[in-house]
Amino acid sequence: MSAKLKPAKAPAAAVDWRQVVSLVQCSRAMDALEETTLVPGKKIFYQFSARGHDMAQVMLGLHLTHPKDAICGYYRSRPILLSLGVSLEDAMGSAMGRAGGYSDGRDIGVVFNYPNAHGASALPMCGGVGAQYTPTAGYAQAIEYHTRVLHDTAYDGAISVVLGGDASVATNGFWSALTIATTLQLPMLFYVEDNGYGISVPGALQTPGANIAKNLGAFSGLKIFDGDGADPEQAATLTREAVAHVRGRRGPALLRLVVPRLEGHSFQDTQAYKSKETIGDEWTRDPLPKLKAHVVPSQLSESDWDAIETETKERVLRASQIADQRPVAEPSSVTRFVFDEGEMQTEGGLHNTGYIAPRSTDEAKAEGARINMITAIRRTLDHELSVNPRVLVFGEDVGPKGGVHGVTLGMQEKHGVERVFDTSLSEEGIIGRAVGMAIAGLMPVPEIQFRKYAEPACEQISDCGSMRWRTNNRFAAPMVVRMPVGFFKCGDPWHSQTNEVQFVHTPGWRVAAPSPGGARRSHLRPMVIPHSLPGEGSPDRRTCRGDAAHFLPQLA
């Protein structure tokens, strides 16, 4: 799905150094207050310092001003969140687990989300390392779809940015997203903050030679930027060039910046695995004094620097006091928003696009010939593709072949390669990209060929199902996942498993297993379908609000 678009205007070259200084000082003040007061006072129980990562992140965030830009970070990504405009009270209150904030006390404060009407939104991140990559790729693909197929000019020039540490480049999600972004030439920026350690494991055990940028130098379709994230001028230049490359629709890019991790992995981490010499060397690379040397006196006076430092410390302290006055979340509300409860989520699903599902009756028509299960599914998918331009059907072999079960036969020819398409062989990539698409207002219908092959996608399935709940209804990613179970032709452990009950117990998913009917096949048992599936055009307004649904069709 390579872009054929007019290049977007590159961002301005000038850096607002005063703003950079203010945001970096703010991040430092938050870290210091948490470490010296809030964690010892048991106001916060899970703290991650961003020292060393902060300056480069802030510079990246200040480039993400397009209303349809999106980022997905990880647990050391608070500085970029500050640069997007999140309130200090929400940031501090979320870390304290108070009501409101990112999750209404349902998630640890370093796992954030941020629906942003004035710039880049922060997609709901997950606690699992590497889980952020494929949803961000899906959002990037949705940018292309909105622009090229739906002709929605609101997405012109938008980009998708994913943040990850050096350890995350060893994960399945990283490689799957890299394959998606490069084969489709998506507007996606991979931002790797290389501090040399994944908790205690050195980078040489994550990627050969401990430099993912060097290793990917020959990766087709990927532009590489590599440098020092602690050097203000170099970090600013590389960040500007990387964002301009992606925003100019010249393909995806990877920006690797080497940064020091100046504290442990988390507050509890004593870094006993590092020598005193290593820790001392890291502190000599602290970007804050380097930033000061760069801007004083050329951009700011010494008194300006001191005034910004004092003012940010006061703002952070006030914000923490306000956050501390917030109540804890009401315990009786803890089960709210596992599913849609009638209040529209802020981002995600069809409702934000203005799509209204056509109404239909609950009564089946008696006339007509009996058809088998595959024909019924094919007709349903064909109908949904016909009435809703935001429906996309994809998976392994669903294109020209028509699926290994023949369910999508002829659909790509009828509806086009943008809407019915094959994917690389990565179940995590299939479901992960569906998550990003759904957040961007599309209705993805991904296929997993057999239940057993869903194992690599289980993290994405679980994260998707909990999204509405853990963001307190700020985000949802509705989709319909199709997969057959109990394939009767084989009997082997790779195609015939019927352990769909695992998904019944996964929060946020509705499981439907339609029966082909009758006692002709006793192993295909009928099951009640308690709710309509998103996109079926039923009178149930979940078609717009977007509860995740899990469709498990038995083969006839």
Side-chain angles (χ1 to χ4, degrees):
M1 197 176 289
S2 114
K4 303 286 186 182
L5 302 174
K6 181 179 179 181
K9 184 179 179 181
V15 177
D16 186 342
W17 290 107
R18 177 180 288 272
Q19 191 175 15
V20 171
V21 170
S22 179
L23 288 166
V24 173
Q25 291 281 19
C26 187
S27 178
R28 292 291 174 111
M30 295 173 78
D31 283 338
L33 182 63
E34 289 171 344
E35 291 162 351
T36 60
T37 304
L38 299 179
V39 174
K42 300 192 183 302
K43 299 286 187 181
I44 293 175
F45 295 95
Y46 209 40
Q47 194 266 351
F48 288 79
S49 172
R51 284 191 188 90
H53 291 234
D54 37 23
M55 183 187 71
Q57 268 189 40
V58 164
M59 289 178 177
L60 174 61
L62 293 179
H63 283 284
L64 305 179
T65 57
H66 193 295
K68 295 299 184 181
D69 283 349
I71 69 156
C72 197
Y74 72 124
Y75 41 75
R76 218 174 301 282
S77 298
R78 186 166 63 186
I80 199 169
L81 197 63
L82 298 176
S83 72
L84 299 183
V86 70
S87 75
L88 297 184
E89 292 79 10
D90 273 359
M92 301 298 291
S94 297
M96 296 179 188
R98 300 306 175 91
Y102 310 146
S103 69
D104 200 39
R106 301 167 187 220
D107 210 338
I108 55 176
V110 296
V111 177
F112 59 79
N113 63 85
Y114 182 49
N116 186 8
H118 306 293
S121 290
L123 306 185
M125 61 169 289
C126 307
V129 175
Q132 69 270 33
Y133 284 105
T134 53
T136 313
Y139 191 96
Q141 188 171 351
I143 290 173
E144 292 286 82
Y145 188 85
H146 276 287
T147 304
R148 300 180 63 210
V149 179
L150 300 180
H151 307 294
D152 185 349
T153 58
Y155 285 83
D156 288 351
I159 66 173
S160 184
V161 180
V162 64
L163 284 70
D166 50 284
S168 71
V169 304
T171 65
N172 295 341
F174 174 81
W175 290 100
S176 177
L178 196 63
T179 299
I180 295 167
T182 51
T183 56
L184 301 182
Q185 286 295 282
L186 299 178
M188 181 173 176
L189 174 61
F190 293 79
Y191 178 76
V192 177
E193 301 169 79
D194 192 339
N195 63 35
Y197 286 88
I199 305 183
S200 66
V201 180
L205 295 179
Q206 310 291 356
T207 189
N211 186 340
I212 189 64
K214 183 177 180 180
N215 293 343
L216 291 174
F219 209 85
S220 181
L222 182 69
K223 178 70 173 178
I224 300 293
F225 299 86
D226 189 13
D228 186 357
D231 180 292
E233 192 60 41
Q234 188 176 153
T237 299
L238 289 174
T239 300
R240 180 179 67 250
E241 292 176 352
V243 171
H245 176 90
V246 179
R247 211 179 285 286
R249 291 304 190 267
R250 294 192 288 274
L254 182 139
L255 170 61
R256 171 187 176 257
L257 294 179
V258 179
V259 294
R261 193 188 76 194
L262 299 180
E263 301 293 344
H265 169 70
S266 64
F267 183 81
Q268 293 78 15
D269 180 13
T270 63
Q271 300 197 89
Y273 45 86
K274 291 182 181 178
S275 68
K276 290 183 179 180
E277 291 74 20
T278 297
I279 293 175
D281 179 66
E282 288 179 326
W283 276 99
T284 66
R285 297 174 49 238
D286 183 357
L288 186 60
K290 293 178 182 293
L291 176 61
K292 183 176 182 179
H294 183 74
V295 301
V296 176
S298 61
Q299 305 289 329
L300 302 172
S301 67
E302 186 80 34
S303 60
D304 287 336
W305 178 278
D306 293 341
I308 292 172
E309 183 176 13
T310 300
E311 190 270 337
T312 53
K313 287 180 178 178
E314 291 173 350
R315 285 197 298 119
V316 167
L317 180 60
R318 286 197 303 271
S320 71
Q321 292 168 343
I322 292 171
D324 196 27
Q325 296 304 309
R326 291 181 176 180
V328 297
E330 175 57 47
S332 63
S333 70
V334 71
T335 58
R336 293 202 66 198
F337 302 126
V338 176
F339 294 102
D340 160 54
E341 296 184 7
E343 299 176 26
M344 292 294 186
Q345 64 268 16
T346 306
E347 288 195 24
L350 293 175
H351 84 274
N352 280 321
T353 69
Y355 176 79
I356 302 297
R359 298 182 65 84
S360 66
T361 178
D362 287 332
E363 297 181 5
K365 293 182 179 180
E367 65 271 17
R370 289 174 61 87
I371 57 176
N372 64 23
M373 181 67 71
I374 287 177
T375 303
I377 297 170
R378 185 187 300 123
R379 289 185 182 180
T380 300
L381 292 176
D382 181 51
H383 171 75
E384 293 300 326
L385 285 162
S386 299
V387 301
N388 185 353
R390 292 175 176 83
V391 172
L392 292 84
V393 175
F394 53 94
E396 297 159 16
D397 304 303
V398 305
K401 180 177 176 61
V404 295
H405 310 294
V407 172
T408 56
L409 196 63
M411 285 191 187
Q412 186 179 83
E413 183 178 3
K414 179 177 180 179
H415 297 285
V417 296
E418 302 280 3
R419 303 192 62 204
V420 180
F421 54 88
D422 290 323
T423 67
S424 55
L425 204 162
S426 170
E427 284 75 18
E428 174 168 343
I430 292 170
I431 304 301
R433 80 162 78 176
V435 171
M437 291 177 179
I439 293 175
L442 303 181
M443 174 50 73
V445 187
E447 177 188 288
I448 303 295
Q449 286 185 350
F450 296 94
R451 162 63 190 92
K452 177 61 178 68
Y453 297 156
E455 302 298 337
C458 282
E459 181 176 37
Q460 292 295 338
I461 290 172
S462 178
D463 291 344
C464 177
S466 68
M467 184 179 295
R468 184 190 297 276
W469 178 83
R470 61 188 162 88
T471 66
N472 196 34
N473 206 41
R474 295 171 87 174
F475 283 87
M479 66 178 70
V480 179
V481 178
R482 298 188 308 109
M483 67 178 82
V485 299
F487 191 58
F488 67 90
K489 291 183 180 179
C490 297
D492 63 86
W494 316 116
H495 301 84
S496 303
Q497 291 194 18
T498 57
N499 53 349
E500 63 273 18
V501 69
Q502 175 179 348
F503 301 119
V504 174
H505 295 287
T506 302
W509 288 92
R510 300 189 187 277
V511 176
S515 168
R520 291 181 296 108
R521 303 192 188 278
S522 59
H523 67 290
L524 297 179
R525 57 200 181 285
M527 296 179 65
V528 175
I529 305 175
H531 295 279
S532 61
L533 297 176
E536 280 193 330
S538 78
D540 188 336
R541 291 298 301 280
R542 288 186 179 85
T543 49
C544 289
R545 290 178 183 143
D547 287 334
H550 204 118
F551 184 21
L552 299 167
Q554 303 276 15
L555 293 181

